[in-house]
Amino acid sequence: MKVAIAGGGPGGLYFAALMKQLDPAHDITVWERNAPDDTFGFGVVFSDETHRGIENADLGFAEAMARRFARWTDIDIHFRGESYTVGGQGFAAMSRRELLDLLRRRCHALGVVVHFSTPAPDVEALRTSHDLVVGADGVNSSTRAAYAEVFRPALDRRLSKYMWLGTDRVFEAFQFFIKETEWGTMQVHGYPYSESGSTFIVEMHEDVWRRAGFHASEGAEFPPGTSDEQAIARIGEIFAGELAGHRLFANNSKWLNFVTVRNERWHHGNVVLVGDAAHTAHFSIGSGTKLAMEDALALAACLHEQPDVESALTAYEAERRPVVESTQRAAQASLEWFENIGMYVHQEPTQFCFNLLTRSRRITYENLRTRDPEFADRVDAAFAAAQGLESGTPAMFQPFRLGRLELKNRVIVSPMDMYSAVDGVPGDFHLVHLGSKAMGGAGLVMTEMVCVSPEGRITPGCTGLWTDGQRDSWARIVSFVHERSTARIGLQLGHSGRKGSTRLMWEGMDDPLPTGNWEVVGPSPVPYGAGSAMPREMTRADMDRAVADFVAAARRGAEAGFDLLELHCAHGYLLSSFLSPVANRRTDEYGGSLENRLRFPLEVFDAVRAVWPAERPMSVRISATDWLPDGNTEHDAVEIARAFIAHGADAIDVSSGQVAKDERPAFGRSYQTPFADRIRHEVAAATGTAVIAVGAIASYDDVNSILLAGRADLCALGRTHLYDPHWTLHAAAEQEYQGAAADWPDPFRAGSRKPPTSRTDAVRPRLSLPRAEESDQKVHLRWTPSHESIPVS
């Protein structure tokens, strides 16, 4: 093959070296616009997994890297004048300059032609004269720009300012310096990369950056390779204590905003993107160099394995995209955490440290306990102390007081529409469904959305509370829960609005009924999506009827004995559609500003609160973001939560989306939790209002991690409880917890131990002496340079 590579960074050079080793007959040329010694940056970090991949492909090169590694396992977090150390993490870093030098010498020895100080030729010309063109030309890729209509890049410029620096202070471990200044919170990400230097990245929100006066150089043009010396001098003064008398080093160092790069496609014909040209991930979770070299490994392997270039590039993208997108989701969570770090600095120090460590959701409580049991014990003790409870009980099994309602644990069975009622009446199915979940150990079991009127149903199979007969059927279910379990049961009350009169979910979700349909209403004549019914704009008389229906249903709910009432103001149903500018286009006092859009939902809340028993709590479920460019955002969600709290809500249940069919949610593990986190820290905690997290929370480890970090007070799980109605009790057994928060019903108590799954008469080993290869695996390993580094020619 004849291969052209634009960009002589680690990704481009490593790919060239791999291809030459696969077949020396390949004709490979690299163009690098910078000179050989124009190496920007300081240290790069690798995971063990990446190094194993390099080792498998090229043992000699991997060993050369390993000899230059600084290795450590600890993270030191400096917060409020104290240092907190967490071990067992595992890091390896080396000088970026040394890495590039190794790669350059490797390419030279293999016969790869590298043109330094030379921009790559026009990509269109390259693709006609070469079999393959690799765009390894970084964040500002000209290769990507040339075919932007095909790659369809999305560049997300973030809110914080950062500067990449080095120091001759050799850290012993990864360092997070959290510095609270008169201008706001600043942080340093620091780590060693050799026996003589460390990376020192300074980061702060742009608002803090401006208040501190760093914007003085804003707009200044710095030639390539020139650093912002005035800002660097100021950084040295602010972080003099952290530098401990050591110097800062600059290398093309100036203030930057991190840009998250995503592309809908990574290849076009025989042109392919790798590394930062294709994707970026925030430096707070690792190294872009790591991702670029992993790309190079995958691309070379696919070209070697596949019969032609198109098949290889398709296979490469299919292999790498899920891995990269997972990394980017973690990186997004991490960078947003640091953007909002000011929300967390009030936390108790141990909880703050745990919050920081678990920010990306890749490290969880169980991970931490495996890596550093002693620190995990401190996290448990700090959480219990803050609640005034005894340590030793998993966070999810600590009791919680919601208003005046005592919950035995912090697990909620989330509301899930079952579409199985007849004329709005819940039957035996609902008794078994909700009764089994209550007997399965959850502290609170929620009904599906119970509709306040026949025309307020989503489907003909939805339950209601517009008749006394429906009330009596619900009372039977409530009585069963109270008599047969120690769970509480909550009523979710709502009106379908413009999303009503549709088929049962399994017959066509959100598809209008073919016959027997009813008129749907909403704040404006805006349908839910293509093919949905056009709602009639509600008049004041319609709104009055809806308020009366909510009030009547709430009264019946109280008579049925429900312990809690949740007002459904999420997922695009009636009250949610009033809140969202996507659905609410009114020009009267109920549309326009957020204050106006809140007016009707608050009217309903106040009317319901007035008839709902004062000793029983009320919660509100909201969609924290519409996942649409012109919709509500997490900032609107904070104000929406603030308004409902001011009107007396005891809890905010934080979901998201489903306000329009064309939404584009960013799914992922616990993907809605950051919205709950923001509402809890910005509004709820100060008022004593509970926050409920929901959405892709799939394990007890997720629940414990969310609670211990202070991201929510309670966790609601839906699909998990459909998979296993006894999920909460099984979670207790898995964690070896026995107590009132996970009490087995007497008839089921014999099943409270996990049954054996394999033979039990085998002779189990009783003694295990440490092996040589295991003796170096320490919880706390610090970087202590040997001063015997290998010289680089």
Side-chain angles (χ1 to χ4, degrees):
M1 292 181 66
K2 190 175 182 182
V3 181
I5 301 174
L13 292 176
Y14 188 47
F15 174 72
L18 289 169
M19 288 296 287
K20 263 295 191 183
Q21 290 176 89
L22 286 169
D23 188 345
H26 290 321
D27 179 1
I28 302 175
T29 306
V30 180
W31 287 269
E32 170 54 50
R33 64 182 177 176
N34 295 310
D37 56 350
D38 288 344
T39 302
F40 303 124
F42 296 92
V44 292
V45 182
F46 293 95
S47 66
D48 289 340
E49 183 181 28
T50 304
H51 189 249
R52 281 194 297 270
I54 295 171
E55 188 176 57
N56 186 64
D58 187 345
L59 180 59
F61 184 72
E63 289 176 344
M65 289 177 63
R67 287 196 297 272
R68 289 160 173 80
F69 277 160
R71 292 186 179 273
W72 69 96
T73 64
D74 282 355
I75 296 175
D76 295 338
I77 302 171
H78 307 271
F79 181 58
R80 294 187 193 164
E82 299 290 336
S83 293
Y84 303 85
T85 297
V86 185
Q89 307 301 312
F91 297 97
M94 67 182 296
S95 161
R96 179 180 172 85
R97 185 181 295 276
E98 288 195 12
L99 174 64
L100 285 170
D101 188 75
L102 282 173
L103 287 167
R104 284 193 292 262
R105 289 192 282 128
R106 188 70 159 166
C107 286
H108 178 74
L110 292 166
V112 175
V113 177
V114 184
H115 299 295
F116 289 105
S117 304
T118 308
D122 177 72
V123 65
E124 189 64 25
L126 288 175
R127 70 180 300 191
T128 58
S129 59
H130 290 74
D131 300 304
L132 177 68
V133 179
V134 179
D137 44 353
V139 174
N140 300 312
S141 169
S142 58
T143 308
R144 184 182 67 227
Y147 303 109
E149 74 283 357
V150 178
F151 295 130
R152 296 182 63 82
L155 309 180
D156 180 15
R157 183 179 181 273
R158 298 308 306 176
L159 305 175
S160 288
K161 291 284 189 179
Y162 74 96
M163 185 183 291
W164 209 291
L165 298 163
T167 177
D168 59 359
R169 180 180 178 187
V170 181
F171 297 128
E172 295 184 351
F174 207 110
Q175 307 292 312
F176 286 112
F177 294 107
I178 312 301
K179 195 171 188 72
E180 296 178 68
T181 73
E182 60 187 286
W183 310 287
T185 306
M186 303 178 184
Q187 62 267 8
V188 168
H189 310 249
Y191 57 86
Y193 61 81
S194 73
E195 66 170 9
S196 58
S198 300
T199 296
F200 195 89
I201 306 171
V202 181
E203 185 185 28
M204 65 197 75
H205 194 282
E206 189 164 325
D207 293 343
V208 178
W209 179 80
R210 291 188 181 281
R211 287 195 294 267
F214 283 117
H215 66 293
S217 59
E218 188 174 24
E221 292 292 335
F222 294 97
T226 303
S227 299
D228 186 345
E229 298 295 346
Q230 184 176 353
I232 294 166
R234 181 89 190 284
I235 289 170
E237 294 171 0
I238 293 172
F239 290 98
E242 289 73 16
L243 290 166
H246 290 268
R247 295 173 295 165
L248 284 176
F249 296 124
N251 185 351
N252 196 37
S253 303
K254 59 203 74 172
W255 290 113
L256 300 169
N257 289 77
F258 188 83
V259 177
T260 300
V261 176
R262 299 180 179 87
N263 286 276
E264 287 190 14
R265 292 192 58 177
W266 293 356
H267 76 279
H268 170 47
N270 63 341
V271 179
V272 64
L273 304 177
V274 300
D276 285 354
H279 47 72
T280 58
H282 194 250
F283 52 80
S284 61
I285 71 157
S287 168
T289 300
K290 163 191 175 319
L291 285 176
M293 293 182 72
E294 288 174 349
D295 284 353
L297 279 165
L299 180 57
C302 289
L303 285 161
H304 184 61
E305 295 162 356
Q306 298 297 324
D308 54 66
V309 169
E310 176 59 32
S311 299
L313 300 188
T314 300
Y316 156 72
E317 188 166 343
E319 176 183 332
R320 285 296 292 160
R321 184 177 287 278
V323 177
V324 168
E325 288 180 347
S326 175
T327 301
Q328 287 190 309
R329 284 193 295 270
Q332 186 76 8
S334 181
L335 75 84
E336 289 181 3
W337 193 91
F338 280 110
E339 284 176 348
N340 298 303
I341 193 171
M343 291 198 312
Y344 307 115
V345 292
H346 69 278
Q347 288 188 308
E348 183 276 328
T350 302
Q351 185 177 57
F352 176 88
C353 293
F354 181 78
N355 197 350
L356 186 154
L357 292 166
T358 59
R359 66 195 181 279
S360 72
R361 302 192 286 278
R362 286 199 157 184
I363 294 178
T364 65
Y365 172 77
E366 287 296 318
N367 298 149
L368 185 63
R369 175 154 292 284
T370 299
R371 299 177 189 200
D372 190 340
E374 183 181 351
F375 189 80
D377 287 342
R378 292 176 61 184
V379 172
D380 285 338
F383 181 81
Q387 317 294 318
L389 302 167
E390 291 185 9
S391 184
T393 298
M396 65 185 289
F397 292 113
Q398 298 280 12
F400 188 78
R401 187 178 181 87
L402 181 55
R404 300 182 195 176
L405 181 66
E406 294 284 349
L407 300 178
K408 63 180 179 181
N409 61 47
R410 300 183 183 225
V411 178
I412 299 174
V413 176
S414 194
M416 294 174 283
D417 293 320
M418 293 288 108
Y419 310 109
S420 299
V422 177
D423 296 328
V425 178
D428 288 347
F429 172 87
H430 300 84
L431 175 68
V432 173
H433 163 56
L434 295 171
S436 65
K437 307 304 181 292
M439 296 174 73
L444 175 65
V445 176
M446 293 298 301
T447 69
E448 61 194 85
M449 185 179 89
V450 177
C451 304
V452 298
S453 64
E455 62 276 8
R457 290 174 296 168
I458 310 165
T459 75
C462 291
T463 58
L465 260 176
W466 64 84
T467 71
D468 290 347
Q470 293 163 349
R471 175 202 61 197
D472 295 343
S473 291
W474 280 118
R476 173 177 173 240
I477 295 169
V478 171
S479 295
F480 179 90
V481 170
H482 287 160
E483 292 168 7
R484 291 290 183 172
S485 78
T486 53
R488 303 299 184 179
I489 182 167
L491 164 68
Q492 189 187 66
L493 212 55
H495 186 299
S496 62
R498 64 181 187 153
K499 292 179 71 175
S501 194
T502 60
R503 299 171 186 257
L504 303 182
M505 180 181 68
W506 44 88
E507 295 176 351
M509 188 171 178
D510 297 321
D511 291 343
L513 288 168
T515 58
N517 55 326
W518 55 88
E519 181 184 43
V520 297
V521 296
S524 304
V526 179
Y528 175 63
S532 298
M534 177 67 72
R536 177 174 61 79
E537 181 170 303
M538 293 182 77
T539 64
R540 182 63 251 188
D542 294 324
M543 295 160 70
D544 289 340
R545 279 193 295 275
V547 171
D549 288 339
F550 271 99
V551 166
R555 284 198 174 104
R556 290 190 179 98
E559 292 165 0
F562 283 105
D563 300 299
L564 170 146
L565 186 148
E566 178 168 280
L567 192 64
H568 202 341
C569 297
H571 300 170
Y573 298 119
L574 181 64
L575 301 182
S576 169
S577 62
F578 267 88
L579 292 170
S580 171
V582 171
N584 186 345
R585 309 282 176 80
R586 299 176 76 101
T587 58
D588 62 6
E589 66 270 33
Y590 295 98
S593 67
L594 179 58
E595 180 182 7
N596 284 355
R597 300 198 310 272
L598 270 160
R599 197 180 304 275
F600 180 59
L602 288 174
E603 281 184 21
V604 174
F605 180 89
D606 290 343
V608 170
R609 178 72 272 185
V611 301
W612 184 249
E615 70 277 6
R616 303 187 208 177
M618 269 188 70
S619 63
V620 178
R621 174 169 277 204
I622 65 171
S623 284
T625 177
D626 291 347
W627 298 115
L628 288 164
D630 299 322
N632 282 330
T633 68
E634 66 270 25
H635 304 290
D636 299 309
V638 169
E639 298 310 314
I640 291 169
R642 193 189 308 275
F644 280 112
I645 290 170
H647 281 246
D650 298 287
I652 304 295
D653 186 357
V654 188
S655 187
S656 72
Q658 301 181 49
V659 300
K661 275 188 178 180
D662 57 347
E663 66 176 358
R664 300 194 67 178
F667 290 119
R669 180 181 181 184
S670 306
Y671 71 106
Q672 293 176 158
T673 301
F675 305 128
D677 189 5
R678 178 182 287 272
I679 288 170
R680 186 175 190 271
H681 283 91
E682 290 198 22
V683 186
T687 61
T689 307
V691 170
I692 303 168
V694 61
I697 301 170
S699 68
Y700 66 77
D701 190 20
D702 288 341
V703 174
N704 286 328
S705 298
I706 289 166
L707 298 174
L708 289 167
R711 298 186 179 108
D713 300 289
L714 300 155
C715 290
L717 299 88
R719 290 178 176 85
T720 307
H721 283 109
L722 293 180
Y723 180 77
D724 179 4
H726 283 73
W727 180 84
T728 307
L729 292 177
H730 292 156
E734 293 285 348
Q735 297 172 83
E736 299 181 350
Y737 167 76
Q738 294 180 344
D743 52 335
W744 283 76
D746 288 337
F748 293 172
R749 195 170 299 279
S752 61
R753 289 194 306 170
K754 188 175 181 179
T757 56
S758 60
R759 60 178 291 196
T760 57
D761 60 344
V763 178
R764 303 298 180 191
R766 298 181 59 202
L767 181 64
S768 179
L769 297 175
R771 300 179 182 180
E773 63 269 24
E774 295 176 346
S775 61
D776 293 333
Q777 301 300 313
K778 300 176 181 177
V779 172
H780 297 292
L781 175 67
R782 314 288 284 185
W783 169 237
T784 52
S786 65
H787 301 286
E788 296 177 359
S789 63
I790 299 171
V792 179
S793 59

